[in-house]
């Protein structure tokens, strides 16, 4: 089971990857939206803001998110680490229910480039 530190490091790597991306990935990440990532097995939620092509203001709270973010991810810690490390295909994980992504339709269409 991935630890809290490993999950935080994975999100930090994701933010770094987004900020150094080019082309379609960079434009897809150029949203300004609140973001939550619920790690079910650790009972923690990371909160942040997807803005200017990166994740900013990343904090963590125990339990479920205190408010509904515009982009919401839910998964276990091992899946988060595997996704960021490129060992787990997002589309397959989402299709099988291992990863849950909730967002408005327009945001989902833009985010598909990232995923």
């Amino acid at each position: 089971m991935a630890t809290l530190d490993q999950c935080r490091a994975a999100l930090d790597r994701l933010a770094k990857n987004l900020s150094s991306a080019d082309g379609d990935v960079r434009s897809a990440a150029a949203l300004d939206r609140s973001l939550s990532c619920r790690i079910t097995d650790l009972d923690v939620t990371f909160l942040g803001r997807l803005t200017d092509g990166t994740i900013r203001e990343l904090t963590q709270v125990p339990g479920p998110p205190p408010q509904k973010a515009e982009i919401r991810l839910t998964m276990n810690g091992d899946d988060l680490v595997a996704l960021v490390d490129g060992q787990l295909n997002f589309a397959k994980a989402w299709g099988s229910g291992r990863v849950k992504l909730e967002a408005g339709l327009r945001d989902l269409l833009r985010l598909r480039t990232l995923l």
Side-chain angles (χ1 to χ4, degrees):
M1 181 168 88
T3 67
L4 189 59
D5 289 338
Q6 289 170 318
C7 291
R8 175 64 187 236
L11 288 170
D12 288 341
R13 283 193 312 277
L14 177 60
K16 183 178 178 184
N17 291 347
L18 289 174
S19 66
S20 63
D22 293 324
D24 290 341
V25 172
R26 180 71 174 182
S27 65
L31 299 168
D32 184 11
R33 302 287 187 272
S34 59
L35 173 71
S36 69
C37 182
R38 172 104 169 102
I39 307 300
T40 54
D41 57 333
L42 298 176
D43 194 28
V44 67
T45 301
F46 290 94
L47 304 170
R49 188 133 197 106
L50 180 63
T51 185
D52 296 327
T54 192
I55 301 169
R56 301 184 188 282
E57 305 167 18
L58 192 61
T59 61
Q60 68 189 48
V61 296
Q67 59 216 23
K68 187 176 176 180
E70 294 165 297
I71 299 171
R72 301 167 301 283
L73 289 162
T74 304
M75 68 194 79
N76 70 43
D78 289 338
D79 287 343
L80 171 63
V81 172
L83 280 169
V84 174
D85 289 345
Q87 298 170 350
L88 179 62
N89 178 280
F90 181 84
K92 289 181 181 178
W94 187 31
S96 69
R98 287 174 65 178
V99 173
K100 187 175 180 182
L101 171 64
E102 299 173 276
L105 182 59
R106 295 182 98 170
D107 290 341
L108 286 173
L109 292 173
R110 283 190 74 180
L111 291 171
R112 70 181 175 176
T113 306
L114 294 174
L115 312 171

